[in-house]
Amino acid sequence: MELLQERAEGVLWLTMNRPEVLNALGGNMMWDLLTALTEAATDPEIGCVVLTGAGRGFSAGGDMKARATGAKPPPATPEAGADELRSRMECSRLLHEMPKPTIAMVNGVAAGAGMSLALACDMRIAGTSARMTTAFANMGFSGDFGGHYFLAKLVGPAKARELYFTGAKLDSAQMEKLGLVNRLVPDEQLRAETEKLARQLGQGPRVAWRYMKRNMKVAEEGTLAEALDAEAIGMMRTRETEDHQEALRAFMEKRPPRFQGK
């Protein structure tokens, strides 16, 4: 199994499982990930998705060994290759836009497209041994999986250009300083801290998550007026949910709400 799936308390854990090559994005793994994310986006039982890697790394990015040894034949034409790549790159869009929170649990290295996938998630929790690098320049590549888009928004266009042009390797302290990770925790606490946040989100008000994600997308790409319009629509929709009524009861009864995602 090149992609492991685990469900617990409203959370879908997706583990890239090619540890012998630092979870390089080869084989059938990306197609399996695309299928899993597509299904998760509309699954009412899932309130949060966590993406991570098996073994000692998140993902080393593209499978350069397979490319160098000819194990992966080149596409018939550049256009055919671009179409196939673009299909797999839907993984980044789904992580960023699906109507529920997504978390990257960054263990070890996240390089190239692996870094792009981590940045596509709503949040990143990293262990102290985590590292990130765009890496593409080192291989004479321009870059894929949305890394330019996400990195420029997180660190600004000038810093993003530097990181792409130089392929600089960032340690966890640098990642935190640049705002690339939401939380930096000791390696031995990485799983527990991620579980704690994921469980909170997985049991949260899932209809509200949908509209929060939509609002954030409008805020990132649209005008203030469009953001205000989106917020107004979302508020009117979520005030009608069972989760909101439960939250009101819990407020009056001075207890935590028990959301059902309805």
Side-chain angles (χ1 to χ4, degrees):
M1 296 288 290
E2 293 185 335
L3 182 74
L4 304 180
Q5 301 189 43
E6 175 188 354
R7 291 171 179 249
E9 300 180 274
V11 180
L12 174 63
W13 291 78
L14 299 174
T15 303
M16 296 177 282
N17 189 38
R18 301 183 74 211
E20 70 282 0
V21 288
L22 283 178
N23 303 311
L25 308 180
N28 293 316
M29 188 167 71
M30 293 311 296
W31 296 117
D32 293 344
L33 179 60
L34 178 60
T35 298
L37 292 173
T38 300
E39 294 173 353
T42 57
D43 190 333
E45 299 303 314
I46 295 173
C48 177
V49 174
V50 179
L51 179 66
T52 191
R56 58 190 180 89
F58 181 80
S59 172
D63 194 339
M64 293 299 103
K65 183 177 180 180
R67 185 178 299 276
T69 60
K72 181 179 180 180
T77 66
E79 290 76 17
D83 288 343
E84 181 192 17
L85 177 59
R86 179 62 183 86
S87 296
R88 287 184 280 123
M89 287 164 64
E90 277 293 287
C91 291
S92 292
R93 187 190 64 79
L94 285 164
L95 286 167
H96 191 61
E97 295 184 1
M98 74 163 59
K100 50 199 71 184
T102 59
I103 302 171
M105 187 176 82
V106 185
N107 52 312
V109 67
M115 178 177 177
S116 298
L117 287 172
L119 299 184
C121 294
D122 294 314
M123 292 165 283
R124 285 151 295 284
I125 301 179
T128 49
S129 68
R131 306 181 306 283
M132 283 186 178
T133 174
T134 58
F136 294 110
N138 301 330
M139 300 305 302
F141 273 146
S142 55
D144 55 10
F145 281 83
H148 296 87
Y149 178 90
F150 302 122
L151 192 58
K153 289 187 176 296
L154 286 166
V155 304
K159 191 64 178 180
R161 282 172 166 81
E162 176 191 337
L163 294 175
Y164 263 88
F165 293 155
T166 66
K169 297 178 182 178
L170 305 174
D171 61 28
S172 58
Q174 292 170 309
M175 289 157 51
E176 184 179 39
K177 183 177 180 180
L178 286 171
L180 293 176
V181 295
N182 297 78
R183 300 182 186 180
L184 182 62
V185 300
D187 289 338
E188 62 272 16
Q189 297 177 21
L190 180 57
R191 175 79 185 200
E193 288 296 317
T194 305
E195 282 183 347
K196 182 178 178 181
L197 175 60
R199 190 182 307 116
Q200 175 187 343
L201 299 175
Q203 297 176 352
R206 297 173 192 171
V207 178
W209 294 166
R210 171 185 295 271
Y211 285 94
M212 285 182 189
K213 292 273 297 233
R214 185 175 298 178
N215 290 345
M216 290 303 303
K217 187 173 187 298
V218 174
E220 289 170 349
E221 301 176 5
T223 65
L224 173 58
E226 290 168 335
L228 295 174
D229 290 342
E231 288 180 343
I233 292 170
M235 285 294 286
M236 290 302 101
R237 172 65 183 92
T238 52
R239 72 182 294 175
E240 303 301 324
T241 61
E242 294 179 22
D243 281 346
H244 174 60
Q245 297 305 314
E246 162 61 11
L248 291 177
R249 290 191 295 271
F251 176 78
M252 295 303 295
E253 296 168 10
K254 296 181 172 55
R255 61 171 174 81
R258 295 182 289 270
F259 294 123
Q260 300 297 316
K262 299 178 182 178

